[in-house]
Amino acid sequence: MELAWPDPKDTTVLGKRIVRLDGPDKATGRAKYTYDTNRPRMLWAKYTTCPHGHARVKSVDADAAQKMAGVVAVEVLAPAGAELNVAFAEVAIVAAESEEIAREAVRRIKVEFEVLPHNVVDDDPQAAGASARPGRANVQGDPDAAFKEAAAVSETEVGCSIITHCCMEPHGSAVEVAADGKSLTAWCSTQAISGKNGRFANEAGIGDASTSVAICQHMGGGFGSKFDIDTWGQWAAKLSARTKRPVKVMLERDMELALAGSRPSAFARMRVGCKEDGTVTAWESEAWGSGGTGGGVGVRELPYVFGNVPNKRTRTTPITTNTGDQRAWRAPNHPQMALLTMAAMSDCAAELGMDELEFFKKNLGYTQRAKVYEEELNLAAELIDWKKKWMPRGDQADVVRRGLGCSIHTWGGGGHDSNVQCTIHPDGAVEIACGTQDLGVGTRTALAIVAAETLGLPLEKVKVSIGDSRLPPSGGSGGSTTIGGISSAARDACVQAANALFEKVAPELGGDAKKLVAKGGKVYAADNEAKAIPWDVACRSVGAQPLVTTGKQQRALMQQGVGGAQAAEVEVDVETGIVRVLKLVAVQDCGRIIDLLTAESQVRGALIMGVCSALYEERIMDPVTGTLLNPDMEFYKLAGIADVGELVVKMMETPEHLGRGVIGLGEPPVISPMAAISNAVANAIGARVARCPMTPDRVLAALHKKKGA
Amino acid sequence: MSNRQEPAPSGFTRRSFLQGMGAGALAAGTGVLAPKIANGAPQDAAKPALCGPDPVPVTLELNGKKVTLPLEPRVTLLDALRNHLDLTGAKKVCDRATCGACTVLLDGKAVYACTVLAIEAQGRKIETVEGLAEANQGIATMQRCFVENDAQQCGFCTPGFVMACESFRRSHPKAARDEVLQGLGGNLCRCGTYHGVTQAVLDAIAGGK
């Protein structure tokens, strides 16, 4: 059997719509997440936190907490003199017999602070003062001359707030040091389980990686924020070692939203110049934003995707803020850069009086994959009925106005290092083992699909084990690299196993192992299907011990670099400022598809996440106290089931795309929705809403500004 | 949230609790316990009595079986289920009655278990996501429809969504798509599974595939 993926036309399960294997466990509540860990004698740990954006600890009095019945351990993490530079930073941790006692105890810890100056302003470099550190201007070509010669020049101001990951399962771990004090088990909600055992052992000071186990069977969302064990995991380990009891530390929602990861904000003032035919000739951008205490900004380079515009001047100013630090947020920086770029391009098209879609297509020469984008933009236009529905900006006088917008994006993908073990037992049972994790994207199911397809078996015949540090190591789930790594390694392991089995069974089937195939639960020579041996019978030839192979990630089976186009249709009420998404279309390529159903689900999910950042969610900081004003899910708003409109997903399944090898899908589809929705709103009301989320007040402000202009 | 109602009084209401707080100032620290109240018997609001703060015996009618366990009166139904009875299907996410991940049924109505005290739930039929599965040979129609429509990704919001959907289906046996969207506004998902959830409810209403 060859390593190469089978022809898409010949597959039984690979690339089909396969329901996820752990679906029944999740839907019935049987699936156990880290938060669900209950161990005998387990302690609950909670934090006392800092209410100020920036402060120095003057004193910590933990006596009352220490004396409480049921409190087992109190640790002061920020003693007198410690400087804390973000609200909700940890001051002390309490481990207690119950969650209620732990909660009460942290409230009894008295902390005095010296409040220090803070800055939480990320949207105005002037107001941010010394916290803003202007970067150097980058100039290419001759932007000044190009603007002078341009037939149309547009000006755009747009941006997006800091948002958080807001995982449904908060960050956290449960750690249990064994009675002998030499080994431990850690349950951890993580995007990278391989190697975590050693990290916990190290923090606990108990044994080492060889005597420790880390487990993550199911996890409630990560989106880029759950790679490390974090100080929360460290304290679960330390407290378990000190108390000799299992300890669970799961963040409360306020700490989760304040500290456990965020996406940097990005704002920009931009000018775009173009020729009469819509060809962009000049780009100028002044961008700023913040990713927290370390500065950072959600912009790497502009313009996004249309990178080869010949004349450009760009500058980026990171602003340091007393806000919880950024972490990789699904397609880091890309959604922000897409918003800025697509908005500026769309405004230039409007300035010229050209259809935005045609304008984008006119400039695809500046991108890395013009042909793919053209194909995908055309499909997106067709699926949203662009030709029939599109109207120039400002043509509507009704109270409720409709608009269309579009955007394109790109992402790398590729596959991370992975090891997959395939075991064929003498009774025909098949086991696949890999130290990967399933964030909810269907990783477990993908492994089963590859094995079942390769060995010609029904899915039920394959038992998959993941989410355990004892399994063959696999990389962290970041950058859309998991599916490439694990699927190619699984294919490698299973092809090796099939070939080893074929060698053993060949004497019974004509003698030539190279001619043998495994299909439909049987093994036979390709030219003599009539003389087939059932799988279970063929496996007896394995002998007394199971046949075990280990596969590694295979470059020949995976690829990187995708496109993707999206279109949005919205309705805006110009009296209330309320925006409603009517329809979103996503056209996405990702090379060879392993499971069409979970792939489509992931793209739909990305569209919904995009609706959240376009219309609802943002971290709101109080400039006076420097604290987070919406550390809960009532005011940190996510879209509900009625808020997302009709979602249409079209995966590119042409032979060209499917022939490219497997490419990750986690990031790309989440990049464009905010940009497409912003453009659709601009198209509807004839004005650019300056900031996402486009809350009613911001929509009304844009209308007011337009009226005044 | 047309399918969501405040739980009916079960002998221990927020009002009587608050009234009790007034008397509590006098009786503070005495740990006065009225077993009748703890067991959910009706009481006279004019004579508020106290229970707790120490654990009191609480009897819950859980998935058709009565369970009695000692609980501090401040323990929520969600924490009782998750931390004391190891029924971890209902999830703790917002802990503030916003997201619906902790949804269970009380006398058939969907409630946020994070905002119901365990002692309030006495004398009422509690149905959890695990119980729904058990009562239907391991997986109920609604749960099967969730699986078939891939109405779950990370799955952390799923058990709560399943229970909210099941409550909605029972009270709206002929609901159309618009009503489904209206009726399920009390649950949030971060991965973005609403498309599948909507279809799952419609399929379940149609009797499952």
Side-chain angles (χ1 to χ4, degrees):
Chain A
M1 185 187 293
E2 302 288 327
L3 177 66
W5 292 118
D7 191 308
K9 293 194 293 290
D10 297 338
T11 63
T12 317
V13 285
L14 190 72
K16 311 290 183 200
R17 287 193 175 86
I18 306 295
V19 295
R20 64 187 70 223
L21 296 182
D22 46 13
D25 283 346
K26 289 180 172 179
T28 57
R30 283 195 294 265
K32 288 283 181 190
Y33 296 73
T34 297
Y35 209 149
D36 302 335
T37 307
N38 281 323
R39 305 292 301 168
R41 301 181 69 240
M42 188 178 79
L43 300 175
W44 283 86
K46 301 276 176 195
Y47 286 99
T48 301
T49 62
C50 173
H52 309 289
H54 187 197
R56 186 174 290 116
V57 177
K58 279 163 77 179
S59 67
V60 183
D61 178 358
D63 269 8
Q66 219 125 27
K67 285 178 188 148
M68 262 181 73
V71 169
V72 178
V74 179
E75 297 284 345
V76 175
L77 313 177
E83 188 180 333
L84 300 169
N85 54 15
V86 55
F88 291 96
E90 309 98 304
V91 175
I93 189 167
V94 173
E97 299 286 350
S98 75
E99 196 168 2
E100 291 79 16
I101 296 171
R103 274 186 169 173
E104 189 179 338
V106 297
R107 286 199 299 269
R108 291 200 190 176
I109 295 177
K110 291 194 193 78
V111 190
E112 284 186 310
F113 296 97
E114 175 195 354
V115 178
L116 301 172
H118 65 259
N119 172 52
V120 294
V121 175
D122 66 334
D123 57 358
D124 183 346
Q126 257 79 49
S131 301
R133 307 219 170 85
R136 264 207 318 241
N138 281 315
V139 181
Q140 259 181 53
D142 188 347
D144 294 327
F147 275 115
K148 247 180 233 163
E149 287 163 23
V153 175
S154 61
E155 290 184 17
T156 301
E157 263 196 71
V158 75
C160 53
S161 302
I162 294 177
I163 64 172
T164 80
H165 297 70
C166 197
C167 308
M168 296 302 269
E169 182 185 32
H171 287 61
S173 310
V175 177
E176 178 170 2
V177 171
D180 63 4
K182 289 178 184 157
S183 61
L184 64 79
T185 304
W187 294 265
C188 181
S189 187
T190 183
Q191 297 180 227
I193 194 66
S194 282
K196 283 287 183 286
N197 48 335
R199 295 276 286 114
F200 282 105
N202 186 38
E203 293 300 333
I206 296 271
D208 56 26
S210 70
T211 60
S212 306
V213 177
I215 293 168
C216 179
Q217 283 300 308
H218 300 280
M219 62 94 75
F223 313 112
S225 68
K226 286 183 180 168
F227 287 104
D228 192 30
I229 69 170
D230 288 312
T231 56
W232 317 300
Q234 294 172 17
W235 277 103
K238 285 190 212 306
L239 288 169
S240 179
R242 282 179 204 177
T243 60
K244 300 193 167 49
R245 300 192 39 189
V247 175
K248 178 152 77 172
V249 183
M250 300 302 296
L251 293 191
E252 297 275 322
R253 185 54 49 181
D254 53 9
M255 275 182 80
E256 177 72 19
L257 288 168
L259 298 183
S262 64
R263 185 179 90 175
S265 56
F267 306 91
R269 244 189 323 270
M270 296 163 286
R271 286 205 304 152
V272 181
C274 69
K275 290 197 229 172
E276 203 72 59
D277 68 355
T279 307
V280 171
T281 51
W283 171 277
E284 189 175 76
S285 58
E286 182 79 40
W288 61 94
S290 179
T293 60
V297 49
V299 173
R300 215 170 45 232
E301 60 177 344
L302 291 173
Y304 176 63
V305 184
F306 298 97
N308 292 333
V309 170
N311 307 297
K312 54 189 172 187
R313 179 186 292 112
T314 61
R315 190 162 68 141
T316 305
T317 299
I319 300 173
T320 306
T321 49
N322 296 97
T323 60
D325 283 326
Q326 62 170 304
R327 294 185 175 194
W329 193 102
R330 216 170 166 184
N333 299 332
H334 283 233
Q336 300 98 308
M337 294 190 294
L339 170 68
L340 304 186
T341 303
M342 304 303 153
M345 295 280 286
S346 162
D347 288 353
C348 191
E351 184 70 30
L352 186 69
M354 192 168 168
D355 178 338
E356 169 183 315
L357 182 81
E358 294 307 318
F359 189 86
F360 281 24
K361 278 159 69 176
K362 185 82 197 167
N363 288 289
L364 290 177
Y366 292 139
T367 72
Q368 300 291 325
R369 40 181 67 80
K371 194 172 152 272
V372 172
Y373 287 128
E374 172 121 32
E375 190 184 11
E376 292 178 338
L377 275 169
N378 285 339
L379 268 170
E382 202 180 301
L383 290 167
I384 209 157
D385 211 358
W386 188 285
K387 275 205 179 103
K388 199 176 131 205
K389 289 182 172 171
W390 186 81
M391 286 180 281
R393 280 192 197 180
D395 271 14
Q396 299 173 66
D398 300 337
V399 171
V400 178
R401 299 172 191 175
R402 288 197 171 197
L404 291 181
C406 64
S407 170
I408 56 175
H409 55 256
T410 185
W411 187 257
H416 60 34
D417 289 357
S418 239
N419 297 274
V420 172
Q421 185 175 293
C422 173
T423 305
I424 298 178
H425 291 275
D427 65 355
V430 174
E431 289 186 79
I432 297 294
C434 178
T436 186
Q437 50 283 321
D438 194 333
L439 278 56
V441 302
T443 306
R444 196 177 255 116
T445 312
L447 284 167
I449 289 172
V450 172
E453 186 67 50
T454 306
L455 301 174
L457 296 171
L459 279 164
E460 312 82 76
K461 188 86 184 172
V462 181
K463 187 191 164 206
V464 177
S465 298
I466 64 166
D468 190 312
S469 62
R470 288 165 290 195
L471 301 175
S474 185
S477 290
S480 302
T481 58
T482 304
I483 191 69
I486 60 120
S487 68
S488 65
R491 173 76 180 170
D492 181 30
C494 294
V495 167
Q496 286 182 48
N499 285 335
L501 177 67
F502 292 165
E503 288 293 341
K504 301 208 177 209
V505 81
E508 293 176 54
L509 290 169
D512 189 353
K514 288 202 170 62
K515 276 193 184 164
L516 298 191
V517 292
K519 247 188 161 158
K522 292 178 288 186
V523 179
Y524 52 88
D527 55 6
N528 188 7
E529 195 178 342
K531 199 192 165 195
I533 305 180
W535 172 263
D536 290 358
V537 176
C539 289
R540 285 180 201 153
S541 64
V542 162
Q545 282 119 38
L547 194 165
V548 180
T549 57
T550 301
K552 280 189 165 301
Q553 75 282 356
Q554 299 294 319
R555 283 198 168 188
L557 299 181
M558 61 200 195
Q559 268 267 9
Q560 57 180 344
V562 297
Q566 295 183 8
E569 184 183 12
V570 302
E571 204 172 69
V572 187
D573 184 323
V574 296
E575 285 180 354
T576 62
I578 291 172
V579 178
R580 230 159 53 88
V581 174
L582 299 176
K583 185 171 179 176
L584 288 174
V585 171
V587 180
Q588 187 62 52
D589 59 291
C590 66
R592 187 63 184 257
I593 295 165
I594 304 290
D595 183 346
L596 185 55
L597 179 67
T598 52
E600 288 168 337
S601 292
Q602 202 169 4
V603 178
R604 279 195 202 98
L607 290 175
I608 292 173
M609 260 189 155
V611 172
C612 294
S613 50
L615 299 180
Y616 304 112
E617 65 175 318
E618 64 183 320
R619 209 189 237 170
I620 303 171
M621 303 301 297
D622 180 6
V624 178
T625 61
T627 195
L628 177 60
L629 287 175
N630 56 343
D632 54 60
M633 290 179 72
E634 186 173 3
F635 296 104
Y636 188 90
K637 288 180 180 296
L638 300 181
I641 197 165
D643 298 325
V644 299
E646 183 191 353
L647 307 172
V648 178
V649 173
K650 169 76 188 156
M651 301 303 297
M652 298 300 283
E653 290 186 275
T654 62
E656 269 179 348
H657 285 290
L658 293 183
R660 291 188 64 204
V662 176
I663 314 175
L665 184 61
E667 341 270 325
V670 88
I671 298 168
S672 273
M674 188 168 63
I677 295 169
S678 174
N679 283 350
V681 170
N683 178 239
I685 65 172
R688 175 68 54 185
V689 178
R691 183 166 179 163
C692 287
M694 293 177 281
T695 49
D697 58 318
R698 289 173 184 150
V699 173
L700 294 178
L703 285 161
H704 185 73
K705 192 174 160 195
K706 178 183 125 187
K707 216 169 152 190
Chain B
M1 293 196 298
S2 60
N3 64 325
R4 232 172 256 294
Q5 289 178 8
E6 275 296 300
S10 67
F12 200 96
T13 64
R14 199 168 285 141
R15 177 175 291 274
S16 66
F17 175 73
L18 290 172
Q19 285 168 338
M21 291 293 283
L26 296 171
T30 58
V32 176
L33 166 65
K36 264 187 175 175
I37 294 167
N39 290 322
Q43 58 168 315
D44 181 356
K47 288 186 210 160
L50 294 177
C51 70
D54 293 331
V56 297
V58 173
T59 301
L60 300 174
E61 196 181 330
L62 194 51
N63 298 321
K65 286 178 208 140
K66 284 204 169 155
V67 191
T68 302
L69 71 166
L71 287 177
E72 290 179 24
R74 62 177 164 176
V75 174
T76 64
L77 176 58
L78 178 63
D79 288 341
L81 294 173
R82 291 180 52 81
N83 301 350
H84 296 264
L85 296 161
D86 202 30
L87 284 172
T88 54
K91 302 290 188 248
K92 185 181 281 192
V93 175
C94 73
D95 207 17
R96 292 290 186 283
T98 305
C99 75
C102 62
T103 305
V104 299
L105 307 192
L106 263 193
D107 289 338
K109 293 279 193 296
V111 298
Y112 295 133
C114 71
T115 355
V116 176
L117 292 174
I119 52 170
E120 282 183 284
Q122 296 183 101
R124 307 175 64 184
K125 289 188 173 65
I126 305 163
E127 197 176 347
T128 71
V129 72
E130 295 95 341
L132 181 65
E134 275 164 30
N136 292 279
Q137 292 84 49
I139 187 161
T141 301
M142 183 62 74
Q143 293 165 320
R144 201 159 34 75
C145 291
F146 263 65
V147 175
E148 283 162 3
N149 287 288
D150 205 30
Q152 44 192 353
Q153 288 187 40
C154 86
F156 212 69
C157 74
T158 305
F161 242 125
V162 164
M163 295 314 282
C165 291
E166 177 64 13
S167 164
F168 177 81
R169 182 193 65 80
R170 290 180 196 173
S171 54
H172 300 76
K174 290 176 183 168
R177 180 176 292 267
D178 280 356
E179 293 166 272
V180 171
L181 298 182
Q182 191 88 40
L184 293 166
N187 290 66
L188 295 172
C189 166
R190 182 51 154 169
C191 300
T193 57
Y194 297 142
H195 180 91
V197 172
T198 309
Q199 202 51 52
V201 178
L202 290 171
D203 283 1
I205 283 171
K209 273 177 190 167

